[in-house]
Amino acid sequence: MVTFGVLGPLTAGSARLGGPKQRAVLARLLVARRRIVPVRTLVDDLWEDPPDGAVGTVQTFVGALRKALEPGRPPRTPSSLLVTEGTGYALLADDVDAWRFEDMLGGDLSVLDSALALWRGPAYVEFADFPWARAEIDRLEELRLVAVERRAEAALALGRAAGVAADLRAHLADHPWREKAWSLLALALYREGRQADALRAVRDARHALVSNLGVDPGDELRTLESDILTQSPRLRPPPESSLVGRDLELAALNAAVPVAGLGLALVTGEAGAGKTALATAFSEVLASRGWRTVWARCQEDAPVAWPWQQVVEALGSELTAPGRFELRLSIVSTVESAAPVLVVLDDLHQADEETLAVLTAFTARPLSGRALIVATSRSAVPSEALARAEPARVELGGLDEQAVAALVGPRDAHAIHERSGGNPFYVKELGRLVASGGDLGSVPAGVRDVIRHRLAGLPAEARTVLHQASVLGRDVEVDLLAALAGHDVLDALDLALEAGFVAEVAPGHARFTHALVRDTLYEDVSLTRRARWHAAVAEALPRDDVRTLAHHYALAGTRSEAAVSALAEAANRTRSPREAVRLWKAAIAAGSERLDLLTGLARALAVSGDLEAARERGSAAVKLARGPQETAKAIGSFDVPGIWTTNDDPAHSAELVAAAERTLPAFPGPTATRARLLATIAMEDRGTGTRLPEAEEAEAIAIGLHDPALQAFALNARFMHTFHRTGLAPERAAIGRELLKVTTDVTYEVLGHLILVQANSALAEFGTADEHAAAADDLARQHDLPLVAVFTDWYAALKLAAANKKTEADRAYRAAAERVKGTGMWGMERGLLPLALLSLHGPSTVDLTDDWGPHLDWVRPLALPHDEALKAARALPDGPADLLTEVRACLLSMAATRLRDDELGQRAHELLLPAKAELVAGTGLFTFGPVADFLGR
């Protein structure tokens, strides 16, 4: 992998780069950040007055760069780094020092030091005179200044005020208008005990801001000046905290500190809950008050009273008393003489009887000095005397989600909190796993080792029961577990409860304390045994528990009619398209490629966003069908909502239409089967405007049968044929409202909202369109419908364009176009982004080498020489009857204006006149503004 450097002179690993123009090509492609740069743009960016043959020269530069960057690439094999896309080039760089620098801006002091060390000089220093480089140079320089100030802030938090003050003075010498830097300098000087210098820095800041910018200091600097004058405690460095999310627990320990004599506190929690970390943090608090801390750990197989031996030795004494009684008094006396002292007894659950007896001795008489004993334990301590002493009890549960976010960052905090139960050790291990690119669904090695070590302390029979319980999932029904085990499991569960692996949630119902515990147990079961246990659970389950039956049948790999039935029924019931895909595939694996299973899978694939695979399975289902009934069933089952009027796969649609037309005569009456066939014909023959009769007949049959699901399908079909002329946005809005009224299917509910986004965009009712876009997004999030965001992202870009926020809209359009790629919606992939950018920036920016897809003929008259453009414009057909009807008419109007041709203008005027009160925004994706503006031309 080539490492590129732009923070200073341009470098590309060890490659030897050519002259200034060749280096400029490389820099221009790096500035584009993996996006395509057309050859014409490169030519314009390299020369003010391009010479003849400039395109060929650029191609020569690119060829030389490819050889330099990939010297080992075999001849005549395409480059994987500097690639050709259409008539442009893209540099698919992964390692650029400027990009790494930006990724490091949120880091701590050491990360920020490393980030600033990447700078070898000014960014893109060789290309500062090129307009295309200037904005990127300025942006990176601003980020560098921010990094310097963030580094100063991080160093101040670590108490390094002296170094910060020196660094900031150098920083401000070159950038005296940086108000944040002045604030940090004044604070650093104050923390160095230089109050007068701090006030002088504030005055210097005021002078610099007035001189350079003509503005007074902001609130932050004025408040800082006031705080310095009053020596506000707010200016003191914050105390370092070694703990996250345990404020209440620290407060409880603090409350246990005795005013005189002895204090006792018992901290309990499972392994990894942070007991030792809490005690450590608390010892730091007491150390600031002059307390001494000694530590001792209770260990298995250690000598008698070994923890107290550690305590006495840590206090500089020895155990010399002859008898047990005298020994206990000697230990108490040694601790008492060291007052004020904190004694931490770690892992008290492993303590021997004598260790507990010494602890009891502390409670037998009053102490003359202040001493606090904090014991940590995984479980209750079997000491009656300790219980009677009524220690402060601090039970450590899981961290809340906010604390988890503080440990691992906000992005994965929710998922990590759910998976770890907030156990700090598990949280940190999962955080490391995710940071290293691991799968959050797996168990980190460190966590697995700890859990296995703890499990080893249980008897073999109890471990087996827990492994069987893991097959049931995180929630365990005890009767079902007993049926799987073949014997009473209560004793084993009692041991697991005591060890903290499971918890009782209700009589007869247990739950693994952490998903990680369950997953570790499950992964340690061999695949063969796991499958057999899943099969045994499926046999023991009641037949009406379809969802659980399907889950166990799928994991058992059972091939039987019972498995197929359960899996198919569960697939029909689930509201998650991705889950439906998984279940339909499992049903096919459990039986065969039956017609009903193939049609179910095809529909689920389409709704989940895998349109290409859906079409493939749909075609297979039609070919598998025998006779009119089966063929009609196969065709009609593919009633997937459609919002885009350009056909993604004309060959597949033609196959479905032909099959439906062959089958239709077998169903002459007003039946649901006939209605589905008619609606399918209208849906698949979209963009023609010729199938409205079929759609209307299907709708009439559905209304007569009082079938809402069928009516929704027919309404969708009618929607596809409301584009035969412009100005029909109100009719489409009525269809959208009717869909929302009749449907009970979430996918058609989403369709209704998206139709209303499109229609209300055309009607300039953006408030209403916003409500429907938000509703569609909410449903998509709830029901895992990934394709919805493709349309709402485009609509969000349209809104920015309508508000004349061109820079933001440009970025949003490009991002939305990226979202379409790979969805299988080929009708949207080609040509929409250039059209959107044309709507934003005007016809002067048209580049015919861009990928205009099927829209190229309507754009060519905007860029060709006059005579060629006029000929091309007059040859234009009416075009398909689809969502882009108004857009094509507007392009024709632009051509008429450019070419000053009345004939073209009259044709465009007639096309647009029915939509005179609308915006050219009926796609819901981009807008060319009011139709009236084009009519006025």
Side-chain angles (χ1 to χ4, degrees), residues 458-752:
L458 294 178
E461 183 180 345
R463 292 200 301 273
T464 299
V465 168
L466 282 176
H467 281 117
Q468 290 169 322
S470 73
V471 171
L472 301 179
R474 189 172 177 189
D475 292 294
V476 179
E477 187 178 335
V478 176
D479 288 343
L480 189 57
L481 176 59
L484 174 60
H487 58 79
D488 188 6
V489 296
L490 294 181
D491 289 343
L493 283 178
D494 284 343
L495 290 171
L497 283 165
E498 185 179 344
F501 291 112
V502 297
E504 276 193 302
V505 293
H509 294 272
R511 179 179 174 83
F512 282 101
T513 50
H514 299 288
L516 292 168
V517 171
R518 180 264 169 188
D519 290 355
T520 298
L521 285 158
Y522 187 74
E523 289 172 11
D524 284 347
V525 181
S526 69
L527 294 176
T528 302
R529 189 180 297 276
R530 198 188 294 175
R532 291 189 178 181
W533 281 350
H534 278 297
V537 172
E539 292 305 314
L541 281 168
R543 298 297 95 183
D544 59 348
D545 191 355
V546 173
R547 182 177 178 183
T548 310
L549 269 173
H551 169 77
H552 288 287
Y553 274 133
L555 292 173
T558 304
R559 290 185 61 84
S560 69
E561 184 54 39
V564 172
S565 297
L567 288 161
E569 189 172 351
N572 277 317
R573 289 186 185 184
T574 184
R575 301 193 72 174
S576 167
R578 285 195 174 96
E579 176 68 4
V581 168
R582 186 185 69 81
L583 291 167
W584 284 119
K585 286 181 176 179
I588 291 171
S592 61
E593 289 200 343
R594 291 185 346 203
L595 182 61
D596 59 329
L597 306 183
L598 276 175
T599 54
L601 176 57
R603 191 179 196 285
L605 284 165
V607 176
S608 69
D610 194 348
L611 297 178
E612 188 172 358
R615 287 190 283 266
E616 180 183 329
R617 295 298 181 125
S619 292
V622 172
K623 290 171 184 173
L624 188 64
R626 295 291 178 267
Q629 287 289 351
E630 285 194 356
T631 302
K633 182 179 179 181
I635 294 170
S637 66
F638 200 63
D639 57 342
V640 180
I643 183 70
W644 194 245
T645 50
T646 303
N647 201 316
D648 293 324
D649 191 341
H652 172 72
S653 292
E655 178 186 346
L656 282 180
V657 169
E661 288 182 328
R662 285 196 307 271
T663 309
L664 194 61
F667 303 95
T671 63
T673 301
R674 179 176 180 82
R676 286 194 179 280
L677 289 169
L678 289 165
T680 299
I681 291 169
M683 283 290 295
E684 297 300 328
D685 205 9
R686 64 186 70 180
T688 63
T690 61
R691 296 292 191 173
L692 188 59
E694 284 88 343
E696 289 175 336
E697 184 183 347
E699 186 179 358
I701 292 172
I703 292 172
L705 295 174
H706 305 289
D707 187 336
L710 187 57
Q711 188 179 350
F713 187 30
L715 281 166
N716 194 176
R718 180 153 68 86
F719 163 79
M720 288 295 179
H721 294 274
T722 54
F723 300 93
H724 50 281
R725 66 169 176 82
T726 64
L728 293 176
E731 184 175 333
R732 293 193 286 276
I735 291 173
R737 289 190 294 271
E738 186 67 14
L739 261 174
L740 293 180
K741 186 168 72 174
V742 305
T743 188
T744 57
D745 183 317
V746 67
T747 58
Y748 280 99
E749 187 178 353
V750 168
L751 174 66

Side-chain angles (χ1 to χ4, degrees), residues 419 430 433-434 436-444:
R419 190 148 171 71
L430 283 170
L433 179 71
V434 173
S436 64
D439 178 10
L440 185 55
S442 62
V443 181

Side-chain angles (χ1 to χ4, degrees), residues 360-428:
T360 302
F362 276 89
T363 67
R365 66 182 180 85
L367 299 187
S368 59
R370 297 170 73 195
L372 174 63
I373 300 175
V374 174
T376 73
S377 176
R378 291 184 190 172
S379 57
V381 179
S383 170
E384 182 181 352
L386 182 60
R388 286 181 178 177
E390 298 182 351
R393 294 184 181 272
V394 180
E395 186 173 353
L396 292 185
L399 297 173
D400 62 22
E401 190 171 327
Q402 185 177 358
V404 171
L407 284 175
V408 299
R411 194 183 77 173
D412 298 301
H414 179 72
I416 289 178
H417 179 258
E418 285 288 308
R419 190 148 171 71
S420 68
N423 179 294
F425 172 70
Y426 297 168
V427 167
K428 291 173 184 175

Side-chain angles (χ1 to χ4, degrees), residues 728-805:
L728 293 176
E731 184 175 333
R732 293 193 286 276
I735 291 173
R737 289 190 294 271
E738 186 67 14
L739 261 174
L740 293 180
K741 186 168 72 174
V742 305
T743 188
T744 57
D745 183 317
V746 67
T747 58
Y748 280 99
E749 187 178 353
V750 168
L751 174 66
H753 287 301
L754 292 179
I755 288 174
L756 285 162
V757 169
Q758 292 177 342
N760 283 290
S761 296
L763 297 171
E765 297 287 347
F766 286 119
T768 305
D770 286 345
E771 292 173 7
H772 289 289
D777 278 334
D778 285 343
L779 289 169
R781 280 189 293 270
Q782 292 172 38
H783 301 283
D784 193 20
L785 303 172
L787 294 185
V788 175
V790 170
F791 297 96
T792 54
D793 283 356
W794 275 95
Y795 172 69
L798 181 156
K799 284 289 299 300
L800 290 169
N804 204 33
K805 297 178 179 179

